[in-house]
Amino acid sequence: MTAIATSRGRSATTGRPSTGRRSKAAQKVGLWIGLSLGALFAGFPALWMLLSSIKPNTEIFQYPPTFLPDTFTLNAYTGILTNPEKLRFFTNSYTVALTVVALTLFAGIMAGYALSRFQFPLKSLVNTVVISVQAVPPITLLIPYFGLVVWLKLYDTLWALILTYMVATIPYAILMMTGYFNTIPKELDEAVKVDGGSSLRALWQVLVPAARPGIVSVGAYTFMVAWNEFLFALTLTQSRSNRTVPVGIQLLMGEHSFQWSEMMAMSVLGSVPVLVLFLFFQRQFVSGMTAGAVKA
Amino acid sequence: MSATTTRPIPAPNPLPTPGPERPRTGPRTRRWWRTSLTAYGYMSPTLLVMLVMMAVPVVMVFTYSTLSNVIMVRDPEFVGLENYATLLGDPIFRKALGQTGVFTVTSVALHLLLGLAFAMMLNSGLLPRLAASLFRVIYILPWVFTASIVVILWQLLLNPNGVINYVLETLNLISTKVEWFSNPDLALGSVIFINVWAGYPFFMISLLAGLQGIPSDLYEAAAIDGAGWRAKFFSITIPQLTPIILAMAMLDFIWNLQQFPIIFLATGGGPLNATETIATYTYNLAFSKRQFALASASGVILFLISAIVALFYVRHQKARD
């Protein structure tokens, strides 16, 4: 443990630690041990999920447990992919997440433009409200949402989820889009206006194309938030045909709790979209997360 | 904002110079009205969503909390702060309040420690590039899983007959199979553990960015002065990271106060209320006991606590700008 601590401490210094009491080789060994332990902690559960999804159910609770499957089977996956009821969870999640992305980007781009390029009365109030809504606990909103969604006749529809998710995603999108637009020189869009174009045209012709990388990463992040949401999906929908993946997994878990390999396969399939997005947009996710958090 | 000095304009034909700026007369000119209207036009989708799904619900929940049981009775009466008094008189609520504190403080502290440790290992510069990015992806992995998958995964791992107990038994660390979630003495710790696993990457990423922003000549100067790693860590790394750590800790504090799915799915607040927090308590009041007014009061209390922390956060951010 001390070796790890030491290498950690040194590592904090620079890429080139001075030759101190310990040699660089010893530091490296300590670092690799520390990193491997960390990777075991972070990655083993995910690996176990993957391995369990290709084991037959009887093998999952075999004691002592097997690491690699004795019997390799894809039954859990084919079971899900051929079952329309389970596939429905996935189509619902895609429908909700993609709609939220589209609407959030629309609202976020427009509002980001206004905040980046216009002076208007109560601007700073709008700004403060947009930022501070992120502190309102979802569980606090849940009770009025329940009443509101029933009143709007949206209870047990995917629209209930789409609308409520936008409250969480729009402020983030606005923050990020305002930031991106601020980095684009004003002259670019003002030129369009000088040539007689409307401000809307300046936005769509100049700013949106220029901010495309930002838009894509906000979209990816929004997709993730919407894909992963659980609380509102649990309480604002009711029928099985309107459930999303996070709730669907729990439903199946409650009904046949012995079907572990299927639960694990479902979890793998449920994580794939976000994982793929994450691998593609890793850099943007990371910068977006830190920017959003530190600026907010 | 002096926009004219930033970057050269790539347009081929030079822009007509704006000429002497029209004098900004008071906020009543036609131009002012037009700009304001346009700006609000752009803001309108956002304002509509925020009004309907944020402002109205917040007013509603405050109102609900002062009425006799709403939603369940037709004409609820105004009862003032009675619901709040009922809550504060309930030992389970007070227990939930305390456990929310324990859950939140422990989670934030461990998120910070793990995030810092991992970020520093990844930032050491002693690794081949490929290894560093591979480890980074593995370390961020817990963050991409949705809460219900996180919980199901750990329920499999921490099952009495699961692999964690097997490993602990093989290492002779335990003699009987541990019931991680159904033992009231262990349940809160187990839930915190899962929450730590799922949440540290957020800290790690921000601290990694922070570490990369520390100028290396600070360390070089310290090395010349003969500072060891301990001195460097405590007098350079930590002070340089403090603004990020403070900001992240406050944000993480707000989020963990409100953490619902992990606790709800892992234990539902049980056994014997051992993992009850304000969030699960509020949910159970509303959706299993149908006490919507009481639940609203409980939700408002959580809201107020979050708002206080958020206020500190905003003031801290403003001070930094």
Side-chain angles (χ1 to χ4, degrees):
Chain A
M1 201 56 209
T2 41
I4 302 164
T6 309
S7 65
R8 232 186 245 158
R10 287 254 176 95
S11 64
T13 59
T14 65
R16 291 154 275 122
S18 58
T19 43
R21 278 157 293 172
R22 265 165 227 243
S23 69
K24 201 172 171 181
Q27 268 188 55
K28 266 196 175 169
V29 171
L31 182 66
W32 276 97
I33 293 172
L35 282 167
S36 309
L37 286 176
L40 196 67
F41 172 75
F44 179 77
L47 183 65
W48 197 253
M49 170 169 99
L50 196 64
L51 290 171
S52 301
S53 72
I54 52 172
K55 286 176 188 170
N57 261 310
T58 44
E59 202 185 321
I60 288 186
F61 282 118
Q62 200 173 300
Y63 207 83
T66 54
F67 182 68
L68 291 172
D70 282 338
T71 320
F72 171 85
T73 171
L74 288 176
N75 280 351
Y77 289 93
T78 49
I80 292 166
L81 296 174
T82 55
N83 183 332
E85 198 183 48
K86 289 168 190 162
L87 285 178
R88 182 74 192 231
F89 299 146
F90 286 89
T91 48
N92 283 343
S93 273
Y94 276 111
T95 309
V96 169
L98 291 173
T99 314
V100 171
V101 168
L103 294 176
T104 299
L105 284 179
F106 175 72
I109 287 170
M110 302 277 260
Y113 181 48
L115 289 169
S116 169
R117 294 297 199 259
F118 288 81
Q119 284 305 324
F120 54 91
L122 302 182
K123 181 174 170 175
S124 63
L125 178 71
V126 169
N127 231 332
T128 314
V129 169
V130 164
I131 289 170
S132 53
V133 296
Q134 293 173 315
V136 183
I139 194 95
T140 309
L141 292 172
L142 181 65
I143 297 155
Y145 277 178
F146 189 71
L148 203 60
V149 157
V150 170
W151 184 70
L152 291 170
K153 299 209 169 25
L154 294 176
Y155 180 69
D156 198 21
T157 64
L158 297 182
W159 278 106
L161 306 186
I162 292 165
L163 267 179
T164 50
Y165 293 177
M166 282 164 59
V167 175
T169 55
I170 286 180
Y172 174 81
I174 293 178
L175 224 76
M176 296 301 291
M177 290 324 303
T178 312
Y180 279 109
F181 288 153
N182 281 343
T183 64
I184 300 166
K186 269 189 182 166
E187 291 83 350
L188 288 183
D189 47 293
E190 271 164 8
V192 175
K193 285 198 246 176
V194 168
D195 291 344
S198 65
S199 62
L200 196 63
R201 212 170 127 195
L203 172 64
W204 291 105
Q205 266 187 359
V206 177
L207 287 177
V208 168
R212 200 178 291 146
I215 293 172
V216 170
S217 64
V218 171
Y221 190 84
T222 303
F223 184 93
M224 193 193 80
V225 171
W227 183 273
N228 283 347
E229 204 281 336
F230 175 78
L231 175 62
F232 297 158
L234 174 72
T235 39
L236 302 181
T237 63
Q238 189 180 32
S239 35
R240 223 181 155 82
S241 57
N242 287 328
R243 295 302 201 178
T244 55
V245 172
V247 180
I249 290 176
Q250 288 297 327
L251 269 183
L252 297 179
M253 170 80 184
E255 283 160 17
H256 3 244
S257 51
F258 47 91
Q259 298 277 12
W260 277 97
S261 58
E262 195 156 277
M263 295 303 126
M264 291 299 117
M266 189 92 179
S267 302
V268 171
L269 292 175
S271 306
V272 164
V274 175
L275 200 63
V276 168
L277 278 180
F278 173 73
L279 290 176
F280 271 104
F281 300 112
Q282 218 197 116
R283 186 155 307 187
Q284 290 92 324
F285 265 31
V286 168
S287 60
M289 264 169 80
T290 47
V294 178
K295 268 187 220 151
Chain B
M1 283 286 247
S2 57
T4 40
T5 55
T6 46
R7 275 183 236 174
I9 310 149
N13 48 339
L15 285 175
T17 37
E21 192 68 49
R22 251 160 287 183
R24 276 211 182 160
T25 48
R28 288 298 120 115
T29 60
R30 262 183 79 178
R31 203 193 140 104
W32 179 87
W33 278 107
R34 249 187 59 188
T35 329
S36 301
L37 271 178
T38 317
Y40 272 100
Y42 285 118
M43 292 296 308
S44 56
T46 299
L47 294 176
L48 185 69
V49 172
M50 288 300 154
L51 184 74
V52 177
M53 301 311 291
M54 181 56 77
V56 170
V58 167
V59 173
M60 278 168 82
V61 77
F62 272 89
T63 316
Y64 281 180
S65 76
T66 61
L67 299 173
S68 63
N69 203 4
V70 277
I71 300 181
M72 301 312 287
V73 293
R74 190 160 298 163
D75 297 304
E77 290 165 38
F78 177 78
V79 297
L81 297 178
E82 202 178 283
N83 289 323
Y84 293 91
T86 312
L87 278 182
L88 294 172
D90 179 359
I92 297 175
F93 179 80
R94 292 203 299 263
K95 190 176 181 191
L97 207 59
Q99 280 166 182
T100 306
V102 172
F103 177 89
T104 306
V105 171
T106 319
S107 296
V108 174
L110 293 175
H111 282 160
L112 168 64
L113 281 179
L114 264 187
L116 184 61
F118 286 0
M120 292 185 65
M121 289 197 291
L122 289 177
N123 193 49
S124 68
L126 293 172
L127 288 176
R129 230 188 153 72
L130 185 69
S133 24
L134 185 69
F135 275 121
R136 196 177 65 174
V137 170
I138 295 175
Y139 285 175
I140 300 177
L141 209 53
W143 180 72
V144 303
F145 296 114
T146 179
S148 70
I149 293 178
V150 167
V151 171
I152 235 175
L153 189 50
W154 281 100
Q155 272 171 342
L156 177 64
L157 291 159
L158 291 174
N159 190 284
N161 291 315
V163 63
I164 302 277
N165 272 348
Y166 171 75
V167 171
L168 293 176
E169 225 170 20
T170 315
L171 296 173
N172 271 324
L173 291 169
I174 55 170
S175 49
T176 51
K177 289 176 179 154
V178 180
E179 305 260 358
W180 296 101
F181 294 115
S182 43
N183 180 340
D185 295 331
L186 296 176
L188 186 61
S190 307
V191 172
I192 291 174
F193 176 83
I194 302 180
N195 187 49
V196 168
W197 183 80
Y200 75 84
F202 189 68
F203 258 102
M204 184 189 83
I205 290 171
S206 311
L207 292 174
L208 199 52
L211 284 173
Q212 280 156 6
I214 303 178
S216 59
D217 47 356
L218 285 180
Y219 290 113
E220 280 153 23
I224 293 169
D225 293 342
W229 69 265
R230 204 184 296 263
K232 285 180 192 164
F233 179 72
F234 285 108
S235 54
I236 299 173
T237 312
I238 291 295
Q240 290 281 320
L241 290 180
T242 301
I244 298 179
I245 290 177
L246 274 178
M248 302 296 301
M250 281 190 268
L251 269 185
D252 202 43
F253 197 89
I254 297 171
W255 292 335
N256 282 294
L257 272 177
Q258 309 168 359
Q259 174 63 48
F260 173 79
I262 286 183
I263 306 169
F264 176 73
L265 290 171
T267 61
L272 303 171
N273 305 311
T275 57
E276 202 79 83
T277 61
I278 308 182
T280 60
Y281 181 88
T282 307
Y283 178 89
N284 287 331
L285 270 182
F287 291 94
S288 42
K289 299 189 182 142
R290 306 269 152 192
Q291 297 278 351
F292 286 98
L294 269 183
S296 300
S298 175
V300 167
I301 292 175
L302 185 60
F303 174 63
L304 293 177
I305 300 173
S306 301
I308 292 167
V309 185
L311 205 68
F312 275 109
Y313 177 73
V314 171
R315 281 179 63 182
H316 169 78
Q317 292 303 101
K318 282 225 175 96
R320 276 183 66 202
D321 295 338

